[in-house]
């Protein structure tokens, strides 16, 4: 598709052509639009609401205000509640914090893996 055709498809899908798509060069516009539609709008093994909650968490960690606004609003579009959005952000904060701590303390990776797998086995056995 040429640029005009891609823009027509974007407008048909989104009601307008957002300015960020106008920044994409001709050579990759169709590819980027198709990827956007596939990842952001179509169903996949992960339901859209949960994909967007993942996006909210990633945006929080990367501190991208564009991504944070986008994924929060689209998560709401797909049915996420304010409590679910807050939980995703809190989970991201916890994960990022532990990552910082474990890497900063240079914990032995093999020990970490061994202990985690042992804990998972313990939990599995206790659930039976």
């Amino acid at each position: 598709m040429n640029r005009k055709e891609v823009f027509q498809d974007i407008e048909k899908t989104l009601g307008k052509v957002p300015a960020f798509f106008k920044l994409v060069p001709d050579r990759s516009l169709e590819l980027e639009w198709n990827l956007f539609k596939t990842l952001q709008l179509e169903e996949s093994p992960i339901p859209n609401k949960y994909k967007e909650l993942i996006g909210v968490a990633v945006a929080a960690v990367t501190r991208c205000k564009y991504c944070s606004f986008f994924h929060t609003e689209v998560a709401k579009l797909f049915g996420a509640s304010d409590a679910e959005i807050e939980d995703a952000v809190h989970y991201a904060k916890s994960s990022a914090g532990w990552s910082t701590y474990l890497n900063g303390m240079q914990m032995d990776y093999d020990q970490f893996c061994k202990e985690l797998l042992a804990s998972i086995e313990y939990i599995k056995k206790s659930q039976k």
Side-chain angles (χ1 to χ4, degrees):
M1 290 194 292
N2 64 36
R3 192 169 193 84
K4 182 179 178 185
E5 293 169 324
V6 174
F7 281 174
Q8 287 172 341
D9 191 35
I10 293 171
E11 188 168 355
K12 178 182 167 193
T13 305
L14 300 178
K16 68 179 303 164
V17 179
F20 65 87
F21 277 113
K22 294 175 183 176
L23 298 172
V24 179
D26 288 345
R27 71 180 185 280
S28 56
L29 178 62
E30 183 179 5
L31 176 67
E32 290 296 340
W33 169 237
N34 286 330
L35 185 60
F36 181 90
K37 283 193 303 185
T38 300
L39 294 177
Q40 302 300 143
L41 303 175
E42 293 178 9
E43 286 295 328
S44 74
I46 300 174
N48 286 341
K49 178 173 103 169
Y50 301 114
K51 283 192 297 191
E52 292 306 326
L53 288 169
I54 293 167
V56 168
V58 170
V61 171
T62 62
R63 296 185 175 139
C64 175
K65 66 182 181 181
Y66 303 98
C67 297
S68 184
F69 183 76
F70 177 89
H71 292 293
T72 298
E73 294 305 313
V74 178
K76 290 177 185 178
L77 172 69
F78 289 125
S81 67
D82 289 342
E84 289 171 316
I85 291 166
E86 188 278 333
D87 200 48
V89 172
H90 195 210
Y91 191 85
K93 178 199 81 85
S94 177
S95 293
W98 277 110
S99 175
T100 300
Y101 188 75
L102 295 173
N103 280 290
M105 296 304 295
Q106 299 180 32
M107 180 176 185
D108 181 83
Y109 181 73
D110 292 332
Q111 177 186 358
F112 175 83
C113 293
K114 182 179 176 183
E115 291 174 351
L116 176 64
L117 292 174
S119 291
I120 288 172
E121 282 304 311
Y122 174 83
I123 292 168
K124 283 180 184 178
K125 287 177 185 175
S126 68
Q127 289 177 339
K128 291 181 181 177

